[in-house]
Amino acid sequence: MAGAKPAVLVAGGAGYIGSHTAKALRHAGFEPVTLDNLVTGNRCAVRFGPFVEGSIADRPLVEKTVREFGIEAAILFAAHAYVGESTAHPAKYYRNNVGASIDFLDGLMAAGVKTLVFSSSCSIYGAQTDDAPISESAPKNPLSPYAETKLFLESALGWYERAYGLRSVCLRYFNAAGCDPDWEIGECHDPETHLIPLAIAAAMGGAPLRILGDDYPTPDGTAVRDYVHVTDLGDAHVSALGHLLGGRPSDRFNCGTGTGHSVRQVIEAVKGVSGKGVPFEVGPRRAGDAPVLVADATRIREVLQWEPRHSSLETICATAWRWYSERSLRHAR
């Protein structure tokens, strides 16, 4: 069909951000093909295109999938993503996030794919020494094996382009949050470590939310983070893909809103959308946590023409509340 957009291989597309990006790709006219081994992903989240079950480390499978579906570009989400676990089990993280990812890149190139969007992280910046928004040129100081694996892949992609012509955009996420506004897909981690789902669970009668430190040098003493709606993240991947397919150069972008919210502000937002209290207790700070982490999102707005349309804190919490409320009702039936 004239003008049809290409098929895109979404590695890790059964996960939280991957599934929302698959939906964004479908709405933009692409054909998302999900490759996922379902170790942490959910089969029920694959709703917007074909599904291939398997590992990104399986080079023959990657090559076969590329050829079978006519893949022209890829997005790499597949990675272990728990900071604490990475410190306790670094081998698991280097083996998967580095070793398997390199196998995936090699499989793509062997099949002729040289366009990639990579799911990176603001964790590569570490704990910044001031409260200013973080630009892409800020010093890189990863404080965990997880963060180091993300920075390593960014570096590897630079060398792969020089040597092999593999072009890429790396999106450095700040705090992904919220759920699909249409409630077709949502957030489902095990264990759950994200603040907003934990606050919602507390409001629904679960364990009290644990605030990790209330003595930071911030207006209310709790840590401030930049929350970006997962649907907006999906749109950012579509914009990044269009950037590369349009012949523009490889690049690295912060993916955030430029606005920070404290833990206490998140609690108040959950109370506002739910009409319920959020029981909490205060514990000590977590080692390595910065008081404030907020993106300087100037470049992604200017270069990719991306705007976070769903990322007000109220919208983020409202979409998450609706998702978790409906899941609770389904499970109760």
Side-chain angles (χ1 to χ4, degrees):
M1 182 172 62
K5 293 182 179 178
V8 178
L9 184 57
V10 185
Y16 174 44
I17 303 175
S19 60
H20 284 78
T21 298
K23 179 173 181 175
L25 288 166
R26 170 67 79 186
H27 283 190
F30 293 94
E31 173 76 353
V33 179
T34 291
L35 172 64
D36 201 299
N37 61 10
L38 301 181
V39 169
T40 57
N42 297 284
R43 177 66 180 87
C44 62
V46 183
R47 305 182 60 176
F48 309 103
F51 174 59
V52 176
E53 185 173 352
S55 170
I56 62 171
D58 187 341
R59 283 187 55 181
L61 178 63
V62 172
E63 293 180 42
K64 177 178 180 291
T65 302
V66 167
R67 295 187 174 110
E68 179 179 346
F69 292 98
I71 302 291
E72 295 185 26
I75 304 178
L76 177 54
F77 293 102
H80 297 315
Y82 293 112
V83 170
E85 181 187 57
S86 78
T87 301
H89 303 288
K92 175 180 178 179
Y93 278 68
Y94 287 105
R95 187 175 298 113
N96 183 73
N97 295 10
V98 174
S101 294
I102 293 298
D103 288 333
F104 180 68
L105 300 184
D106 292 347
L108 290 178
M109 291 188 304
V113 175
K114 293 191 175 182
T115 302
L116 179 83
V117 179
F118 174 57
S119 167
S120 191
S121 167
C122 69
S123 65
I124 67 173
Y125 297 115
Q128 298 294 299
T129 57
D130 60 50
D131 295 346
I134 300 168
S135 71
E136 287 85 355
S137 61
K140 313 304 184 288
N141 183 32
L143 299 176
S144 68
Y146 165 72
E148 282 195 340
T149 63
K150 291 295 185 180
L151 187 58
F152 180 92
L153 256 292
E154 285 200 19
S155 178
L157 286 168
W159 289 108
Y160 266 54
E161 179 169 24
R162 293 180 183 91
Y164 312 125
L166 177 64
R167 297 164 56 249
S168 64
V169 165
C170 298
L171 295 179
R172 297 166 179 167
Y173 310 153
F174 278 64
N175 286 60
C179 295
D180 172 31
D182 299 325
W183 300 288
E184 293 184 284
I185 46 177
E187 187 168 9
C188 183
H189 297 119
D190 184 18
E192 184 57 73
T193 61
H194 290 181
L195 172 61
I196 291 172
L198 291 174
I200 289 173
M204 289 181 167
L209 175 69
R210 188 168 177 80
I211 296 177
L212 301 177
D214 65 350
D215 58 349
Y216 286 104
T218 60
D220 64 21
T222 61
V224 173
R225 296 292 182 265
D226 187 337
Y227 296 92
V228 57
H229 198 287
V230 66
T231 294
D232 290 329
L233 283 180
D235 291 339
H237 289 81
V238 174
S239 296
L241 195 61
H243 174 89
L244 292 170
L245 293 173
R248 290 179 286 277
S250 298
D251 214 328
R252 312 290 182 258
F253 298 102
N254 286 339
C255 206
T257 68
T259 300
H261 299 285
S262 72
V263 174
R264 289 188 185 274
Q265 286 177 312
V266 169
I267 290 172
E268 289 303 312
V270 171
K271 288 168 65 175
V273 301
S274 67
K276 298 178 180 292
V278 179
F280 66 85
E281 56 190 31
V282 177
R285 296 186 191 185
R286 184 169 52 189
D289 276 356
V292 179
L293 285 176
V294 175
D296 179 343
T298 303
R299 291 197 66 252
I300 194 170
R301 284 183 159 105
E302 291 180 348
V303 179
L304 297 188
Q305 302 295 300
W306 173 80
E307 286 293 335
R309 298 177 294 112
H310 304 276
S311 291
S312 72
L313 187 58
E314 181 180 10
T315 299
I316 285 172
C317 292
T319 57
W321 175 260
R322 173 73 178 273
W323 168 256
Y324 285 105
S325 296
E326 296 205 345
R327 285 188 72 212
S328 295
L329 287 173
R330 288 195 298 271
H331 292 162
R333 290 177 184 143

